[in-house]
Amino acid sequence: MNTIRDYIEQIFKTVPLTKETLQLKTDMLANMEDKYLALKEEGASEHEAIGVVIAEFGNVDELLEEMGIGHSSSGDDLPSFQVMEQEDLSNYLMIKGKAGMNIGLGILSCLTGLGSLLLLRGQFNLRGIPLYAGLLFAIVLIALGVGLFIVEGMRLSDTTHYHKPFVLRDEDKNWLEENRQLYKRSYSFSIVAGVTLCILSFSPLFLSIILQSPRFSVLAGVGMMAIMAGLGVLFFVYSGNYWNAFTVLLSNGKPMETIHEDLMIHKRKERAQHIIEQIYWPIIVIAYFILSYVFNGWGWTWLIFVVGGLLEEVIENLFVNKRA
Amino acid sequence: MISSDTIRGYNDTFLLSLLSEGDSYGYALSKEIKDRTDGKYSIKETTLYSAFTRLKKNGFIEAYPGDETQGRKRTYYRITKDGIHYLKEKQKEWEITKIVVDQLVGGKKGEYYKRLHRANL
């Protein structure tokens, strides 16, 4: 029995998963198992029964052609696409959540290093060896933070296949939407907490300025501000990254029917962005210098950047919609 | 055993014909084909499902989930009005095809030669 199941799994490996193909797979497997059991009942050996069932399977290309599914071998230079299942989706959510947490911690670490040094220096007027020790401590924390940025940045660069259209089945889409809904409350809480911390972070600074007291220096106020702001940023970065993961998955997850079209649009958009980055902006910079020198118009030529910025969107849309 | 090339154009009609006797599902239909032809023809799995797909697309059959039997849920098929209509046309066509093939491939050569011979005289 397992041989038949494996066989079907193998055959359907290259077939894109849709409601239709999934049903087909289930039906065909049921049929083959029926046939296998019947053969066994007639007295065939396990080996013979499996042999007959597989011999009578036929040619899968015939079937796929009928269903209008481009088999990988036919490859009508249609862009290849991926099907993301629940496992892939949770994987991306996990990576993003972890990256958000670590980048947030990295920022907190940097700011704590800096902040605690300022706090100690401001409050206890460190000199000599204690000052150097504090400095070393700060540098270690900052290095730790930067290390976290690099590690997470590299991890995130491995997730590019989630950033272009992929096939998302209806049930997985619903699953994502449900989970996003569940996360919404924590997200709102985190944003409020982050904003509150960032606003409150100014209070030590203000306090130190108002008090003008030698017992609470402005330097210490700045140090405390840095640490509190770091905590606030941690909330933002973590929840923002996690929330953004849902947005990315839901906006790039497309139904099977339109995946080819979506990939084409994505390709065009990428090309447009490439042109804008490599050609459009350099031209604008050159034009800026030429105009400025020729007309000596340094006072107004900077406006070209404003206009360029406004036109960027228009040009991008021009490229994307053309031949659409 | 019969070559699947010869019979290719008839698979859809076989299935419609069987379904016109009552709703059924994949394995039962392929078993019926094998049994009725005394094992001279057995339809391949992929051929069967290509035919289902085509017939569904043309609106000749409808699929619906059947009750669970032996722990498996089966997809049942039912012939539609259009399907019955198409089957009738195909049955008529077959009557003619049978005669044509028999006249060209079958054992009536003798008559042809007799006529030819007579014409030459």
Short mmCIF file of all heavy atoms in Angstrom, two decimals, chain A residues 96-114 140-150 152 226-227 229-239 241:
data_model
loop_
_atom_site.label_atom_id
_atom_site.label_comp_id
_atom_site.label_asym_id
_atom_site.label_seq_id
_atom_site.Cartn_x
_atom_site.Cartn_y
_atom_site.Cartn_z
N LYS A 96 11.01 36.00 10.69
CA LYS A 96 10.79 37.44 10.81
C LYS A 96 10.64 37.85 12.28
O LYS A 96 11.17 38.88 12.70
CB LYS A 96 9.54 37.86 10.03
CG LYS A 96 9.78 37.97 8.55
CD LYS A 96 10.52 39.24 8.18
CE LYS A 96 9.55 40.38 7.94
NZ LYS A 96 10.24 41.57 7.39
N GLY A 97 9.93 37.03 13.03
CA GLY A 97 9.74 37.34 14.44
C GLY A 97 11.08 37.35 15.17
O GLY A 97 11.39 38.27 15.93
N LYS A 98 11.87 36.32 14.88
CA LYS A 98 13.17 36.19 15.52
C LYS A 98 14.08 37.35 15.11
O LYS A 98 14.78 37.95 15.94
CB LYS A 98 13.80 34.87 15.08
CG LYS A 98 14.65 34.23 16.14
CD LYS A 98 14.98 32.82 15.69
CE LYS A 98 16.07 32.21 16.52
NZ LYS A 98 16.52 30.95 15.95
N ALA A 99 14.07 37.67 13.80
CA ALA A 99 14.90 38.76 13.31
C ALA A 99 14.48 40.07 13.96
O ALA A 99 15.33 40.86 14.38
CB ALA A 99 14.79 38.85 11.79
N GLY A 100 13.17 40.27 14.05
CA GLY A 100 12.67 41.50 14.66
C GLY A 100 13.15 41.61 16.09
O GLY A 100 13.64 42.66 16.53
N MET A 101 13.04 40.50 16.81
CA MET A 101 13.46 40.48 18.22
C MET A 101 14.95 40.77 18.33
O MET A 101 15.39 41.62 19.12
CB MET A 101 13.11 39.11 18.82
CG MET A 101 13.55 38.90 20.25
SD MET A 101 12.89 40.15 21.37
CE MET A 101 11.28 39.48 21.75
N ASN A 102 15.75 40.09 17.51
CA ASN A 102 17.21 40.24 17.62
C ASN A 102 17.69 41.61 17.17
O ASN A 102 18.61 42.17 17.75
CB ASN A 102 17.92 39.14 16.82
CG ASN A 102 17.85 37.82 17.57
OD1 ASN A 102 17.58 37.79 18.76
ND2 ASN A 102 18.06 36.74 16.85
N ILE A 103 17.08 42.13 16.11
CA ILE A 103 17.47 43.47 15.66
C ILE A 103 17.08 44.50 16.73
O ILE A 103 17.86 45.39 17.07
CB ILE A 103 16.84 43.80 14.30
CG1 ILE A 103 17.49 42.93 13.22
CG2 ILE A 103 17.01 45.28 13.96
CD1 ILE A 103 16.82 43.00 11.87
N GLY A 104 15.89 44.31 17.28
CA GLY A 104 15.46 45.19 18.37
C GLY A 104 16.42 45.11 19.55
O GLY A 104 16.83 46.13 20.11
N LEU A 105 16.82 43.88 19.90
CA LEU A 105 17.78 43.70 21.00
C LEU A 105 19.12 44.31 20.64
O LEU A 105 19.80 44.87 21.50
CB LEU A 105 17.94 42.21 21.31
CG LEU A 105 16.81 41.55 22.09
CD1 LEU A 105 17.04 40.05 22.21
CD2 LEU A 105 16.67 42.17 23.48
N GLY A 106 19.51 44.22 19.37
CA GLY A 106 20.75 44.81 18.91
C GLY A 106 20.75 46.31 19.10
O GLY A 106 21.72 46.90 19.61
N ILE A 107 19.61 46.93 18.74
CA ILE A 107 19.50 48.38 18.91
C ILE A 107 19.54 48.72 20.41
O ILE A 107 20.24 49.63 20.84
CB ILE A 107 18.19 48.89 18.27
CG1 ILE A 107 18.24 48.69 16.75
CG2 ILE A 107 17.96 50.36 18.61
CD1 ILE A 107 16.93 48.94 16.04
N LEU A 108 18.80 47.94 21.18
CA LEU A 108 18.78 48.17 22.63
C LEU A 108 20.19 48.04 23.21
O LEU A 108 20.62 48.83 24.04
CB LEU A 108 17.83 47.17 23.31
CG LEU A 108 17.71 47.29 24.82
CD1 LEU A 108 17.15 48.64 25.23
CD2 LEU A 108 16.84 46.18 25.40
N SER A 109 20.89 47.02 22.72
CA SER A 109 22.25 46.77 23.20
C SER A 109 23.16 47.97 22.90
O SER A 109 23.89 48.44 23.76
CB SER A 109 22.77 45.49 22.55
OG SER A 109 24.08 45.25 22.95
N CYS A 110 23.09 48.46 21.67
CA CYS A 110 23.90 49.63 21.28
C CYS A 110 23.56 50.83 22.16
O CYS A 110 24.44 51.51 22.68
CB CYS A 110 23.66 49.98 19.82
SG CYS A 110 24.41 48.84 18.67
N LEU A 111 22.26 51.08 22.26
CA LEU A 111 21.84 52.27 23.02
C LEU A 111 22.14 52.12 24.51
O LEU A 111 22.46 53.10 25.18
CB LEU A 111 20.34 52.54 22.79
CG LEU A 111 20.00 53.09 21.40
CD1 LEU A 111 18.50 53.19 21.21
CD2 LEU A 111 20.63 54.47 21.21
N THR A 112 22.03 50.89 25.01
CA THR A 112 22.35 50.67 26.43
C THR A 112 23.84 50.89 26.68
O THR A 112 24.23 51.50 27.68
CB THR A 112 21.98 49.24 26.85
OG1 THR A 112 20.61 49.02 26.53
CG2 THR A 112 22.18 49.04 28.34
N GLY A 113 24.66 50.41 25.75
CA GLY A 113 26.11 50.62 25.87
C GLY A 113 26.43 52.09 25.95
O GLY A 113 27.13 52.56 26.88
N LEU A 114 25.87 52.82 25.01
CA LEU A 114 26.10 54.25 24.94
C LEU A 114 25.50 54.96 26.16
O LEU A 114 26.15 55.76 26.85
CB LEU A 114 25.45 54.78 23.66
CG LEU A 114 25.98 56.09 23.12
CD1 LEU A 114 27.39 55.87 22.57
CD2 LEU A 114 25.05 56.58 22.01
N VAL A 140 31.72 46.73 24.02
CA VAL A 140 31.29 45.32 23.91
C VAL A 140 29.80 45.26 23.58
O VAL A 140 29.38 44.52 22.69
CB VAL A 140 31.59 44.56 25.22
CG1 VAL A 140 30.86 43.22 25.23
CG2 VAL A 140 33.08 44.35 25.38
N LEU A 141 29.00 46.05 24.26
CA LEU A 141 27.56 46.04 24.00
C LEU A 141 27.25 46.49 22.57
O LEU A 141 26.39 45.91 21.89
CB LEU A 141 26.83 46.94 24.99
CG LEU A 141 26.52 46.33 26.35
CD1 LEU A 141 25.72 47.30 27.20
CD2 LEU A 141 25.73 45.03 26.20
N ILE A 142 27.97 47.52 22.11
CA ILE A 142 27.72 48.00 20.75
C ILE A 142 28.12 46.94 19.73
O ILE A 142 27.39 46.67 18.77
CB ILE A 142 28.47 49.33 20.50
CG1 ILE A 142 27.80 50.44 21.33
CG2 ILE A 142 28.44 49.72 19.02
CD1 ILE A 142 28.57 51.73 21.40
N ALA A 143 29.27 46.30 19.99
CA ALA A 143 29.72 45.24 19.07
C ALA A 143 28.70 44.10 19.02
O ALA A 143 28.39 43.56 17.96
CB ALA A 143 31.08 44.71 19.52
N LEU A 144 28.16 43.78 20.19
CA LEU A 144 27.15 42.74 20.28
C LEU A 144 25.94 43.11 19.41
O LEU A 144 25.41 42.29 18.65
CB LEU A 144 26.72 42.59 21.74
CG LEU A 144 25.99 41.31 22.11
CD1 LEU A 144 26.95 40.15 22.12
CD2 LEU A 144 25.31 41.47 23.46
N GLY A 145 25.55 44.37 19.54
CA GLY A 145 24.40 44.86 18.76
C GLY A 145 24.67 44.76 17.27
O GLY A 145 23.86 44.22 16.51
N VAL A 146 25.86 45.23 16.86
CA VAL A 146 26.19 45.20 15.43
C VAL A 146 26.25 43.76 14.93
O VAL A 146 25.77 43.44 13.84
CB VAL A 146 27.53 45.93 15.18
CG1 VAL A 146 27.98 45.75 13.73
CG2 VAL A 146 27.37 47.42 15.49
N GLY A 147 26.81 42.88 15.78
CA GLY A 147 26.87 41.46 15.42
C GLY A 147 25.47 40.91 15.15
O GLY A 147 25.23 40.22 14.16
N LEU A 148 24.53 41.27 16.01
CA LEU A 148 23.14 40.82 15.83
C LEU A 148 22.56 41.34 14.51
O LEU A 148 21.86 40.62 13.80
CB LEU A 148 22.27 41.29 17.00
CG LEU A 148 22.36 40.46 18.27
CD1 LEU A 148 21.62 41.15 19.41
CD2 LEU A 148 21.77 39.07 18.03
N PHE A 149 22.88 42.61 14.18
CA PHE A 149 22.37 43.16 12.91
C PHE A 149 22.87 42.32 11.74
O PHE A 149 22.12 41.98 10.84
CB PHE A 149 22.87 44.59 12.67
CG PHE A 149 22.36 45.59 13.65
CD1 PHE A 149 23.06 46.75 13.91
CD2 PHE A 149 21.16 45.38 14.33
CE1 PHE A 149 22.60 47.68 14.82
CE2 PHE A 149 20.70 46.30 15.25
CZ PHE A 149 21.42 47.46 15.50
N ILE A 150 24.16 42.01 11.77
CA ILE A 150 24.76 41.30 10.63
C ILE A 150 24.15 39.91 10.49
O ILE A 150 23.70 39.50 9.42
CB ILE A 150 26.29 41.21 10.78
CG1 ILE A 150 26.88 42.62 10.69
CG2 ILE A 150 26.90 40.30 9.73
CD1 ILE A 150 28.35 42.71 11.03
N GLU A 152 21.28 38.72 11.61
CA GLU A 152 19.88 38.73 11.20
C GLU A 152 19.71 39.23 9.77
O GLU A 152 18.85 38.77 9.04
CB GLU A 152 19.05 39.57 12.17
CG GLU A 152 18.87 38.93 13.53
CD GLU A 152 18.33 37.50 13.45
OE1 GLU A 152 17.51 37.22 12.57
OE2 GLU A 152 18.76 36.67 14.26
N ALA A 226 18.53 57.39 26.23
CA ALA A 226 18.96 56.41 25.22
C ALA A 226 18.47 55.01 25.58
O ALA A 226 17.96 54.28 24.73
CB ALA A 226 20.48 56.43 25.09
N ILE A 227 18.59 54.65 26.85
CA ILE A 227 18.19 53.30 27.26
C ILE A 227 16.68 53.12 27.13
O ILE A 227 16.19 52.11 26.59
CB ILE A 227 18.65 53.01 28.71
CG1 ILE A 227 20.19 53.01 28.75
CG2 ILE A 227 18.13 51.67 29.19
CD1 ILE A 227 20.77 52.97 30.13
N ALA A 229 14.62 54.81 25.19
CA ALA A 229 14.25 54.82 23.77
C ALA A 229 14.58 53.46 23.15
O ALA A 229 13.81 52.94 22.34
CB ALA A 229 15.00 55.93 23.04
N GLY A 230 15.70 52.86 23.58
CA GLY A 230 16.08 51.54 23.08
C GLY A 230 15.01 50.51 23.38
O GLY A 230 14.65 49.70 22.53
N LEU A 231 14.47 50.58 24.58
CA LEU A 231 13.39 49.66 24.96
C LEU A 231 12.16 49.88 24.08
O LEU A 231 11.52 48.93 23.61
CB LEU A 231 13.01 49.88 26.43
CG LEU A 231 13.69 48.98 27.45
CD1 LEU A 231 13.29 49.40 28.87
CD2 LEU A 231 13.27 47.52 27.22
N GLY A 232 11.84 51.15 23.87
CA GLY A 232 10.68 51.48 23.02
C GLY A 232 10.89 50.94 21.62
O GLY A 232 9.98 50.33 21.03
N VAL A 233 12.09 51.14 21.09
CA VAL A 233 12.40 50.69 19.73
C VAL A 233 12.28 49.17 19.64
O VAL A 233 11.80 48.63 18.64
CB VAL A 233 13.80 51.17 19.31
CG1 VAL A 233 14.24 50.49 18.03
CG2 VAL A 233 13.79 52.67 19.11
N LEU A 234 12.68 48.48 20.70
CA LEU A 234 12.56 47.02 20.69
C LEU A 234 11.11 46.59 20.44
O LEU A 234 10.85 45.71 19.64
CB LEU A 234 13.06 46.46 22.03
CG LEU A 234 12.88 44.96 22.26
CD1 LEU A 234 13.64 44.16 21.20
CD2 LEU A 234 13.34 44.55 23.64
N PHE A 235 10.20 47.25 21.13
CA PHE A 235 8.77 46.95 20.91
C PHE A 235 8.38 47.18 19.45
O PHE A 235 7.72 46.36 18.83
CB PHE A 235 7.90 47.84 21.80
CG PHE A 235 7.68 47.28 23.17
CD1 PHE A 235 8.39 47.78 24.26
CD2 PHE A 235 6.77 46.25 23.38
CE1 PHE A 235 8.19 47.26 25.53
CE2 PHE A 235 6.57 45.73 24.64
CZ PHE A 235 7.29 46.24 25.72
N PHE A 236 8.81 48.34 18.92
CA PHE A 236 8.47 48.67 17.52
C PHE A 236 9.02 47.64 16.56
O PHE A 236 8.32 47.13 15.70
CB PHE A 236 9.11 50.01 17.11
CG PHE A 236 8.34 51.20 17.57
CD1 PHE A 236 9.00 52.26 18.20
CD2 PHE A 236 6.99 51.29 17.36
CE1 PHE A 236 8.30 53.37 18.63
CE2 PHE A 236 6.29 52.40 17.77
CZ PHE A 236 6.95 53.45 18.42
N VAL A 237 10.30 47.39 16.69
CA VAL A 237 10.99 46.58 15.69
C VAL A 237 10.47 45.15 15.72
O VAL A 237 10.19 44.55 14.68
CB VAL A 237 12.51 46.60 15.89
CG1 VAL A 237 13.21 45.65 14.94
CG2 VAL A 237 13.03 48.01 15.68
N TYR A 238 10.29 44.62 16.92
CA TYR A 238 9.81 43.23 17.00
C TYR A 238 8.40 43.11 16.43
O TYR A 238 8.17 42.35 15.50
CB TYR A 238 9.85 42.72 18.45
CG TYR A 238 9.14 41.40 18.58
CD1 TYR A 238 9.66 40.27 17.94
CD2 TYR A 238 7.95 41.29 19.28
CE1 TYR A 238 9.01 39.06 18.01
CE2 TYR A 238 7.28 40.08 19.35
CZ TYR A 238 7.81 38.97 18.72
OH TYR A 238 7.15 37.78 18.78
N SER A 239 7.48 43.90 16.98
CA SER A 239 6.09 43.72 16.54
C SER A 239 5.93 44.17 15.09
O SER A 239 5.16 43.58 14.34
CB SER A 239 5.13 44.47 17.45
OG SER A 239 5.43 45.84 17.40
N ASN A 241 8.13 43.95 12.64
CA ASN A 241 8.63 42.90 11.76
C ASN A 241 7.66 41.74 11.66
O ASN A 241 7.42 41.19 10.59
CB ASN A 241 9.97 42.37 12.28
CG ASN A 241 11.13 42.98 11.52
OD1 ASN A 241 11.37 42.64 10.37
ND2 ASN A 241 11.81 43.91 12.16
#
